[in-house]
Amino acid sequence: MLPQENRHVEKSVIKTELFASKAPLEWAVGHNGTLYTAQIPIDKQGQLVNGGIEAQTRQTMDNLMHTLESAGVTSLAVLQVLIYVTDRSCLPTVNKVYAEYFNAPYPNRAAMVVADLAREGMLVELVVYAALPQ
């Protein structure tokens, strides 16, 4: 049985204008002053962006900035970014685009090269944690 203080912990959904996924997920949730979000390179119609790693990274970052704005914060609130790419050779391009969206002090960051991502053709995905106003 859960301790009393953990029984009714609730997260808040951050409403965005991102494509309403058919998967059982929310694009962003907040809890205890932290925003939790994962972003992928899809447009407002839910279509995967064409144009390679630069176009996909830019769309993913645009989706992230929209989500942060929807939560009432900016990129300065981002604490940590986990970057997933399907090819190590994509990382220089991801870094170039990423640097257009963040300024020092930068978020903590890790990058992982994975065999594949959930959606066919996807080259990049971000998992992001940001501070929310309390």
Side-chain angles (χ1 to χ4, degrees):
M1 182 167 225
L2 290 173
Q4 183 67 31
E5 63 272 7
N6 289 334
R7 288 187 190 166
H8 299 291
V9 174
E10 291 187 30
K11 60 189 168 278
S12 60
V13 174
I14 309 298
K15 293 294 181 191
T16 70
E17 293 180 16
L18 299 175
F19 177 74
S21 177
K22 294 175 179 75
L25 63 84
E26 299 292 345
W27 285 116
V29 296
H31 177 67
N32 242 8
T34 303
L35 170 74
Y36 302 84
T37 187
Q39 299 294 325
I40 61 175
I42 60 171
D43 62 21
K44 288 191 177 201
Q45 291 74 43
Q47 299 302 308
L48 185 65
V49 172
N50 293 319
I53 189 60
E54 184 167 354
Q56 285 197 12
T57 303
R58 195 165 305 284
Q59 182 67 56
T60 302
M61 294 299 297
D62 286 346
N63 291 348
L64 172 60
M65 294 304 125
H66 167 75
T67 299
L68 293 170
E69 183 179 312
S70 296
V73 297
T74 69
S75 62
L76 292 172
V78 175
L79 305 170
Q80 185 176 52
V81 179
L82 306 178
I83 300 171
Y84 297 88
V85 294
T86 58
D87 187 328
R88 186 176 315 281
S89 69
C90 292
L91 287 172
T93 302
V94 171
N95 282 334
K96 179 179 82 79
V97 174
Y98 181 94
E100 295 173 19
Y101 291 82
F102 289 106
N103 296 308
Y106 298 102
N108 174 266
R109 197 181 99 165
M112 288 140 286
V113 180
V114 296
D116 211 352
L117 292 165
R119 192 160 182 178
E120 187 176 345
M122 217 164 61
L123 305 173
V124 62
E125 182 169 1
L126 301 179
V127 174
V128 178
Y129 306 97
L132 290 174
Q134 290 192 321

CSV table of all heavy atoms in Angstrom, one decimal, residues 36-67:
chain,number,residue,atom,x,y,z
A,36,TYR,N,7.7,18.0,-17.8
A,36,TYR,CA,8.2,16.8,-18.4
A,36,TYR,C,7.6,16.7,-19.8
A,36,TYR,O,6.4,16.8,-20.0
A,36,TYR,CB,7.7,15.5,-17.6
A,36,TYR,CG,8.2,15.5,-16.2
A,36,TYR,CD1,7.4,16.2,-15.2
A,36,TYR,CD2,9.3,14.8,-15.8
A,36,TYR,CE1,7.8,16.2,-13.9
A,36,TYR,CE2,9.7,14.8,-14.5
A,36,TYR,CZ,9.0,15.5,-13.5
A,36,TYR,OH,9.3,15.5,-12.2
A,37,THR,N,8.5,16.6,-20.8
A,37,THR,CA,8.0,16.6,-22.2
A,37,THR,C,8.9,15.8,-23.1
A,37,THR,O,10.1,15.7,-22.8
A,37,THR,CB,7.8,18.0,-22.8
A,37,THR,OG1,7.2,17.9,-24.0
A,37,THR,CG2,9.1,18.8,-22.9
A,38,ALA,N,8.4,15.2,-24.1
A,38,ALA,CA,9.2,14.5,-25.1
A,38,ALA,C,8.7,15.1,-26.5
A,38,ALA,O,7.5,15.3,-26.7
A,38,ALA,CB,9.0,13.0,-25.1
A,39,GLN,N,9.6,15.4,-27.4
A,39,GLN,CA,9.3,16.1,-28.6
A,39,GLN,C,9.8,15.3,-29.8
A,39,GLN,O,11.0,14.8,-29.7
A,39,GLN,CB,9.8,17.5,-28.6
A,39,GLN,CG,9.2,18.4,-27.5
A,39,GLN,CD,7.7,18.6,-27.7
A,39,GLN,OE1,7.2,18.7,-28.8
A,39,GLN,NE2,7.0,18.7,-26.6
A,40,ILE,N,9.0,15.3,-30.9
A,40,ILE,CA,9.4,14.6,-32.1
A,40,ILE,C,9.2,15.5,-33.3
A,40,ILE,O,8.5,16.5,-33.2
A,40,ILE,CB,8.7,13.2,-32.2
A,40,ILE,CG1,7.2,13.5,-32.3
A,40,ILE,CG2,9.0,12.3,-31.1
A,40,ILE,CD1,6.4,12.2,-32.6
A,41,PRO,N,9.8,15.2,-34.4
A,41,PRO,CA,9.7,16.0,-35.6
A,41,PRO,C,8.4,15.9,-36.4
A,41,PRO,O,8.4,15.5,-37.6
A,41,PRO,CB,10.9,15.7,-36.4
A,41,PRO,CG,11.1,14.2,-36.1
A,41,PRO,CD,10.7,14.1,-34.7
A,42,ILE,N,7.3,16.2,-35.8
A,42,ILE,CA,6.0,16.1,-36.6
A,42,ILE,C,5.4,17.5,-36.7
A,42,ILE,O,5.6,18.4,-35.8
A,42,ILE,CB,5.0,15.2,-36.0
A,42,ILE,CG1,4.6,15.5,-34.6
A,42,ILE,CG2,5.5,13.7,-36.1
A,42,ILE,CD1,3.5,14.7,-34.0
A,43,ASP,N,4.7,17.8,-37.7
A,43,ASP,CA,4.0,19.1,-37.9
A,43,ASP,C,2.7,19.1,-37.3
A,43,ASP,O,2.3,18.1,-36.6
A,43,ASP,CB,4.0,19.4,-39.4
A,43,ASP,CG,3.1,18.5,-40.2
A,43,ASP,OD1,2.3,17.7,-39.7
A,43,ASP,OD2,3.4,18.4,-41.5
A,44,LYS,N,1.9,20.2,-37.4
A,44,LYS,CA,0.6,20.3,-36.8
A,44,LYS,C,-0.4,19.3,-37.3
A,44,LYS,O,-1.5,19.1,-36.7
A,44,LYS,CB,0.1,21.7,-37.0
A,44,LYS,CG,0.8,22.7,-36.1
A,44,LYS,CD,0.1,24.1,-36.1
A,44,LYS,CE,0.9,25.0,-35.2
A,44,LYS,NZ,0.2,26.1,-34.7
A,45,GLN,N,-0.2,18.7,-38.5
A,45,GLN,CA,-1.1,17.6,-39.0
A,45,GLN,C,-0.6,16.2,-38.6
A,45,GLN,O,-1.2,15.3,-38.9
A,45,GLN,CB,-1.1,17.7,-40.5
A,45,GLN,CG,-1.8,18.9,-41.1
A,45,GLN,CD,-1.0,20.2,-40.9
A,45,GLN,OE1,0.2,20.2,-41.2
A,45,GLN,NE2,-1.6,21.3,-40.5
A,46,GLY,N,0.4,16.2,-37.8
A,46,GLY,CA,0.9,14.9,-37.3
A,46,GLY,C,1.8,14.2,-38.3
A,46,GLY,O,2.2,13.0,-38.1
A,47,GLN,N,2.3,14.9,-39.3
A,47,GLN,CA,3.1,14.3,-40.4
A,47,GLN,C,4.6,14.4,-40.0
A,47,GLN,O,5.0,15.5,-39.6
A,47,GLN,CB,2.8,14.9,-41.7
A,47,GLN,CG,1.4,14.7,-42.2
A,47,GLN,CD,1.0,13.3,-42.3
A,47,GLN,OE1,1.7,12.5,-42.9
A,47,GLN,NE2,-0.1,12.9,-41.7
A,48,LEU,N,5.3,13.4,-40.2
A,48,LEU,CA,6.8,13.4,-40.0
A,48,LEU,C,7.4,14.4,-41.0
A,48,LEU,O,7.0,14.4,-42.2
A,48,LEU,CB,7.4,12.1,-40.2
A,48,LEU,CG,8.9,11.9,-39.9
A,48,LEU,CD1,9.1,12.1,-38.4
A,48,LEU,CD2,9.3,10.5,-40.3
A,49,VAL,N,8.2,15.3,-40.6
A,49,VAL,CA,8.8,16.3,-41.4
A,49,VAL,C,9.9,15.7,-42.3
A,49,VAL,O,10.7,14.9,-41.8
A,49,VAL,CB,9.5,17.4,-40.6
A,49,VAL,CG1,10.3,18.4,-41.4
A,49,VAL,CG2,8.4,18.2,-39.8
A,50,ASN,N,9.9,16.0,-43.6
A,50,ASN,CA,10.9,15.5,-44.5
A,50,ASN,C,12.0,16.5,-44.5
A,50,ASN,O,11.9,17.6,-44.0
A,50,ASN,CB,10.3,15.4,-45.9
A,50,ASN,CG,9.2,14.3,-46.0
A,50,ASN,OD1,9.4,13.3,-45.5
A,50,ASN,ND2,8.2,14.6,-46.7
A,51,GLY,N,13.1,16.1,-45.2
A,51,GLY,CA,14.2,17.1,-45.3
A,51,GLY,C,15.5,16.7,-44.5
A,51,GLY,O,16.4,17.5,-44.4
A,52,GLY,N,15.5,15.5,-43.9
A,52,GLY,CA,16.7,15.1,-43.2
A,52,GLY,C,16.8,15.6,-41.8
A,52,GLY,O,15.9,16.2,-41.3
A,53,ILE,N,18.0,15.4,-41.3
A,53,ILE,CA,18.2,15.7,-39.8
A,53,ILE,C,18.0,17.1,-39.5
A,53,ILE,O,17.5,17.5,-38.4
A,53,ILE,CB,19.6,15.1,-39.3
A,53,ILE,CG1,19.7,15.2,-37.8
A,53,ILE,CG2,20.7,15.8,-40.0
A,53,ILE,CD1,18.6,14.4,-37.0
A,54,GLU,N,18.5,18.1,-40.3
A,54,GLU,CA,18.3,19.5,-40.0
A,54,GLU,C,16.9,19.9,-39.9
A,54,GLU,O,16.4,20.5,-38.9
A,54,GLU,CB,19.1,20.4,-41.0
A,54,GLU,CG,19.0,21.8,-40.6
A,54,GLU,CD,19.9,22.7,-41.3
A,54,GLU,OE1,20.8,22.2,-42.1
A,54,GLU,OE2,19.8,23.9,-41.1
A,55,ALA,N,16.1,19.5,-40.9
A,55,ALA,CA,14.6,19.8,-40.9
A,55,ALA,C,13.9,19.2,-39.7
A,55,ALA,O,13.1,19.8,-39.0
A,55,ALA,CB,14.0,19.4,-42.2
A,56,GLN,N,14.3,17.9,-39.4
A,56,GLN,CA,13.6,17.2,-38.3
A,56,GLN,C,14.0,17.8,-37.0
A,56,GLN,O,13.2,18.0,-36.1
A,56,GLN,CB,14.0,15.7,-38.3
A,56,GLN,CG,13.2,15.0,-39.4
A,56,GLN,CD,13.2,13.5,-39.2
A,56,GLN,OE1,13.6,13.0,-38.2
A,56,GLN,NE2,12.7,12.8,-40.2
A,57,THR,N,15.3,18.2,-36.8
A,57,THR,CA,15.7,18.8,-35.6
A,57,THR,C,15.1,20.2,-35.4
A,57,THR,O,14.6,20.5,-34.3
A,57,THR,CB,17.3,19.0,-35.5
A,57,THR,OG1,17.9,17.7,-35.7
A,57,THR,CG2,17.7,19.6,-34.2
A,58,ARG,N,15.0,21.0,-36.4
A,58,ARG,CA,14.4,22.3,-36.3
A,58,ARG,C,12.9,22.1,-35.9
A,58,ARG,O,12.4,22.9,-35.1
A,58,ARG,CB,14.5,23.0,-37.7
A,58,ARG,CG,14.2,24.5,-37.6
A,58,ARG,CD,14.7,25.3,-38.8
A,58,ARG,NE,16.1,25.1,-39.1
A,58,ARG,CZ,17.1,25.6,-38.4
A,58,ARG,NH1,16.9,26.4,-37.4
A,58,ARG,NH2,18.4,25.4,-38.8
A,59,GLN,N,12.2,21.2,-36.5
A,59,GLN,CA,10.7,21.0,-36.2
A,59,GLN,C,10.6,20.5,-34.7
A,59,GLN,O,9.7,21.0,-34.0
A,59,GLN,CB,10.1,20.0,-37.1
A,59,GLN,CG,8.6,19.7,-36.8
A,59,GLN,CD,7.8,21.0,-37.1
A,59,GLN,OE1,7.8,21.5,-38.3
A,59,GLN,NE2,7.0,21.5,-36.2
A,60,THR,N,11.5,19.6,-34.3
A,60,THR,CA,11.5,19.2,-32.9
A,60,THR,C,11.7,20.3,-32.0
A,60,THR,O,11.0,20.4,-30.9
A,60,THR,CB,12.5,18.0,-32.7
A,60,THR,OG1,12.2,17.0,-33.7
A,60,THR,CG2,12.5,17.5,-31.3
A,61,MET,N,12.7,21.2,-32.3
A,61,MET,CA,13.0,22.3,-31.4
A,61,MET,C,11.8,23.3,-31.4
A,61,MET,O,11.5,23.9,-30.4
A,61,MET,CB,14.3,23.0,-31.8
A,61,MET,CG,15.5,22.1,-31.6
A,61,MET,SD,15.8,21.6,-29.9
A,61,MET,CE,16.1,23.2,-29.1
A,62,ASP,N,11.2,23.5,-32.6
A,62,ASP,CA,10.1,24.4,-32.7
A,62,ASP,C,8.9,23.9,-31.8
A,62,ASP,O,8.3,24.6,-31.1
A,62,ASP,CB,9.6,24.6,-34.1
A,62,ASP,CG,10.5,25.5,-34.9
A,62,ASP,OD1,11.4,26.2,-34.4
A,62,ASP,OD2,10.4,25.5,-36.2
A,63,ASN,N,8.7,22.6,-31.9
A,63,ASN,CA,7.7,22.0,-31.0
A,63,ASN,C,8.0,22.1,-29.5
A,63,ASN,O,7.1,22.4,-28.7
A,63,ASN,CB,7.5,20.5,-31.4
A,63,ASN,CG,6.9,20.2,-32.7
A,63,ASN,OD1,6.4,21.1,-33.4
A,63,ASN,ND2,7.0,19.0,-33.2
A,64,LEU,N,9.3,22.0,-29.2
A,64,LEU,CA,9.7,22.2,-27.8
A,64,LEU,C,9.4,23.7,-27.4
A,64,LEU,O,8.9,23.9,-26.3
A,64,LEU,CB,11.2,21.8,-27.6
A,64,LEU,CG,11.7,22.2,-26.2
A,64,LEU,CD1,11.0,21.5,-25.1
A,64,LEU,CD2,13.2,21.9,-26.2
A,65,MET,N,9.8,24.6,-28.2
A,65,MET,CA,9.6,26.0,-27.8
A,65,MET,C,8.2,26.4,-27.7
A,65,MET,O,7.8,27.1,-26.8
A,65,MET,CB,10.3,26.9,-28.9
A,65,MET,CG,11.8,26.8,-28.9
A,65,MET,SD,12.6,27.2,-27.4
A,65,MET,CE,13.6,25.7,-27.2
A,66,HIS,N,7.3,25.8,-28.5
A,66,HIS,CA,5.9,26.0,-28.4
A,66,HIS,C,5.4,25.4,-27.1
A,66,HIS,O,4.6,26.0,-26.4
A,66,HIS,CB,5.1,25.3,-29.6
A,66,HIS,CG,3.7,25.2,-29.4
A,66,HIS,ND1,2.8,26.3,-29.4
A,66,HIS,CD2,2.9,24.2,-29.0
A,66,HIS,CE1,1.6,25.9,-29.1
A,66,HIS,NE2,1.6,24.6,-28.9
A,67,THR,N,5.9,24.2,-26.7
A,67,THR,CA,5.5,23.6,-25.5
A,67,THR,C,5.9,24.4,-24.3
A,67,THR,O,5.1,24.6,-23.3
A,67,THR,CB,6.0,22.2,-25.4
A,67,THR,OG1,5.5,21.4,-26.5
A,67,THR,CG2,5.6,21.5,-24.1
